Amino acid sequence: MTQQDKEQGKSDQLPADRYQAEDQDTLDKYPIPPMPGQEMRKPLLEKVDQHFGEVFLDRLRSHHWHLPGKRALLLILVILCLLLGLAYYFWPRPPEGPSPVTWDLLAVPPLQKSSYQVLSGEAGLLDRLNQAFRLDADSDASLFAQYADQSLLLHADPDDPASALLFQAKPQAELSLEDALLQLELILAQRDRKAYGMAQKQISQFFASQLGPDAASSYWPAKLSYLRQLFLASQYWTEDALFAEIDRLSKELLPLFADDLDLAHREDFEEVMPTVLSSNEKETYQAERDLQVVRLDQVDLWVLQALAMRDPAWEKIADKWQDIARKSRLDSGFYAYAWDPGTQSYIPSAGSTFQANTLASLTQIRFLLEVGEGRPDDLLLFNQLLMSSGQFYESYNQINLTPTVDQVSLPALLAYKRLSLLSGQSLGLDLANQSLKLLTRGDSIPAGQGFLYRPGQADTYYFQDNYRNLLLTAWELSLDPSLEASH
């Protein structure tokens, strides 16, 4: 068949077949719309060959936009990150407030009247101390009526050395606030709620000139000491009267602590004469300075923390004095004696430039430890001093660490034991107990067994020494009850 015949055959197709083919092409291009009430649906499984990013870019290109290349996109992202970082750095922020002050609880171990039996007697140490210092009277009129700050162990018949030894309280001196607050802590240790409330009320009345609303501003250290006992008691009893007294003292002290100069007192300090002065200059040289200072061993950091817990206005004050106290340690290992608000500087020691008070430094270390700001090596110097002589002297030369006085300080030794218990250092506790044992009455004199005396005063016993030692003994036994057999 020729090509002409083929073309002739195509042209001879029926019109219906030709129209049917054309209609099919039209249907493929324009699908029939759905009937009313139906929706056009895509197949359940639709194959997608492109990822989301590619689809997104394709759609962008369909709008005829000019898209940058990959390097340009990377550069744009880097610039955006830099701009965001700069915006975050320079964005104005509200001023930061003081760091939150956390109040750490200070437990007072329980003290039972039947505790600490003597080896050769029937009465416990607490009972015998109460008898020696006349604190065993059952009188509700005044808890401190029978108080004596010192007691002598003398023979019943002074002319007969064979007569029995009896305690005779010295003529009663005026009750000191420090002794009264120690008695308040003793009552708390015995968990006598009724007696505590009565004693606290009596103290506030008896020492109104120091603790009352009209007390002079110079008595702020006394109010802090009083607040310490109130806060200790608040850990065990939630009395409305107790917190009312705390809030009263807080409001009275807050304006004073707002300005350091209101806390300062005038004190004379001796300056060491510089060796470079000429003879003419020495004639006009002033060897003493009259300064306004704040003694750092009177700023109870734990009490400031407790006040901040109840009133946020104390937070900046507590943080500030913690920072001052933390930075006050000297190269010798002692702590600076005072803070000079006028020059914003430390006074190394009281009196002479190089004389460091032992008890003051130990007290400052305790304040720091109680608020978690103490250093691990704070007791290192005092360990060395105690090991070298077996006792603490009242003051030392900060240069050569030799005693500047001959007086041994039993209160400093007790403060050192307290620090050892607070910091959990067994070496310090062992050293303290060894030294205290040398100053403790033994079995040879049952009446005074377990009593502490000061060096050179074997027959004189002080209220503060013995009752502080009793509280420390209760603390030590609470950590290791197996030690009670040895007491």
Side-chain angles (χ1 to χ4, degrees), residues 394-412:
E394 289 188 350
S395 60
Y396 290 86
N397 185 299
Q398 295 190 39
I399 305 301
N400 55 26
L401 301 181
T402 58
T404 58
V405 294
D406 296 331
Q407 185 64 42
V408 173
S409 176
L410 179 56

Side-chain angles (χ1 to χ4, degrees), residues 181-463:
L181 294 180
L182 179 56
Q183 293 185 43
L184 202 60
E185 188 172 349
L186 288 166
I187 297 173
L188 172 60
Q190 296 175 67
R191 305 293 192 266
D192 192 336
R193 190 170 184 172
K194 180 181 178 181
Y196 189 95
M198 184 168 56
Q200 180 261 319
K201 183 178 180 180
Q202 291 176 6
I203 287 175
S204 63
Q205 295 174 350
F206 192 86
F207 295 98
S209 60
Q210 300 180 46
L211 305 177
D214 298 328
S217 60
S218 59
Y219 287 115
W220 65 264
K223 290 186 176 181
L224 285 185
S225 298
Y226 181 39
L227 274 168
R228 168 174 280 262
Q229 298 304 323
L230 297 180
F231 275 116
L232 287 175
S234 71
Q235 298 176 154
Y236 300 93
W237 306 313
T238 56
E239 299 285 348
D240 292 339
L242 195 64
F243 289 109
E245 187 77 345
I246 289 174
D247 292 337
R248 175 187 70 83
L249 293 166
S250 175
K251 292 179 181 178
E252 293 171 5
L253 289 173
L254 186 58
L256 293 177
F257 276 84
D259 187 351
D260 296 350
L261 288 174
D262 291 338
L263 304 175
H265 68 279
R266 289 197 172 275
E267 192 169 336
D268 293 330
F269 293 89
E270 178 185 348
E271 286 189 327
V272 176
M273 184 176 294
T275 56
V276 296
L277 293 180
S278 65
S279 58
N280 293 331
E281 290 172 330
K282 290 180 181 179
E283 294 179 0
T284 59
Y285 178 75
Q286 299 293 329
E288 293 185 357
R289 293 183 299 167
D290 180 36
L291 301 176
Q292 282 192 307
V293 299
V294 180
R295 283 182 52 178
L296 292 177
D297 65 331
Q298 294 179 336
V299 183
D300 194 327
L301 304 178
W302 183 79
V303 172
L304 296 184
Q305 272 196 349
L307 289 171
M309 179 194 66
R310 292 189 62 81
D311 185 354
W314 281 95
E315 290 183 0
K316 288 184 178 180
I317 296 172
D319 288 339
K320 171 187 175 180
W321 283 105
Q322 281 187 27
D323 186 62
I324 292 175
R326 184 173 56 251
K327 298 176 181 177
S328 66
R329 197 172 85 165
L330 306 173
D331 293 339
S332 62
F334 288 98
Y335 275 75
Y337 169 72
W339 171 256
D340 186 345
T343 61
Q344 296 287 294
S345 60
Y346 296 97
I347 305 299
S349 58
S352 173
T353 303
F354 301 116
Q355 180 174 310
N357 184 277
T358 310
L359 182 58
S361 286
L362 291 170
T363 302
Q364 290 167 253
I365 295 173
R366 173 169 64 89
F367 287 160
L368 287 167
L369 283 174
E370 287 176 341
V371 295
E373 295 290 346
R375 301 186 186 182
D377 59 343
D378 270 338
L379 291 185
L380 182 60
L381 167 67
F382 299 94
N383 292 345
Q384 297 171 350
L385 294 176
L386 191 57
M387 286 189 289
S388 64
S389 62
Q391 296 294 336
F392 285 125
Y393 291 90
E394 289 188 350
S395 60
Y396 290 86
N397 185 299
Q398 295 190 39
I399 305 301
N400 55 26
L401 301 181
T402 58
T404 58
V405 294
D406 296 331
Q407 185 64 42
V408 173
S409 176
L410 179 56
L413 183 58
L414 293 170
Y416 171 80
K417 180 175 180 178
R418 184 174 186 172
L419 284 179
S420 301
L421 289 168
L422 187 61
S423 60
Q425 297 193 21
S426 57
L427 174 61
L429 185 58
D430 291 341
L431 291 173
N433 286 335
Q434 291 174 12
S435 298
L436 289 171
K437 189 175 182 180
L438 299 175
L439 301 176
T440 304
R441 279 291 191 183
D443 294 341
S444 58
I445 306 179
Q449 183 183 352
F451 284 27
L452 282 179
Y453 60 89
R454 298 187 179 185
Q457 304 180 55
D459 295 329
T460 304
Y461 303 86
Y462 290 83
F463 173 85

Side-chain angles (χ1 to χ4, degrees), residues 103-167:
W103 184 41
D104 299 319
L105 300 180
L106 293 180
V108 179
L111 182 64
Q112 303 298 329
K113 296 192 67 174
S114 60
S115 299
Y116 324 130
Q117 299 290 335
V118 297
L119 298 178
S120 58
E122 296 181 356
L125 181 58
L126 177 59
D127 292 324
R128 290 183 295 110
L129 283 174
N130 288 343
Q131 294 170 7
F133 292 95
R134 296 181 177 177
L135 294 179
D136 57 343
D138 296 328
S139 172
D140 292 337
S142 175
L143 292 177
F144 311 130
Q146 304 297 323
Y147 157 82
D149 63 344
Q150 296 179 34
S151 188
L152 302 177
L153 184 60
L154 302 175
H155 289 282
D157 185 356
D159 299 327
D160 182 9
S163 60
L165 287 167
L166 301 175
F167 279 101

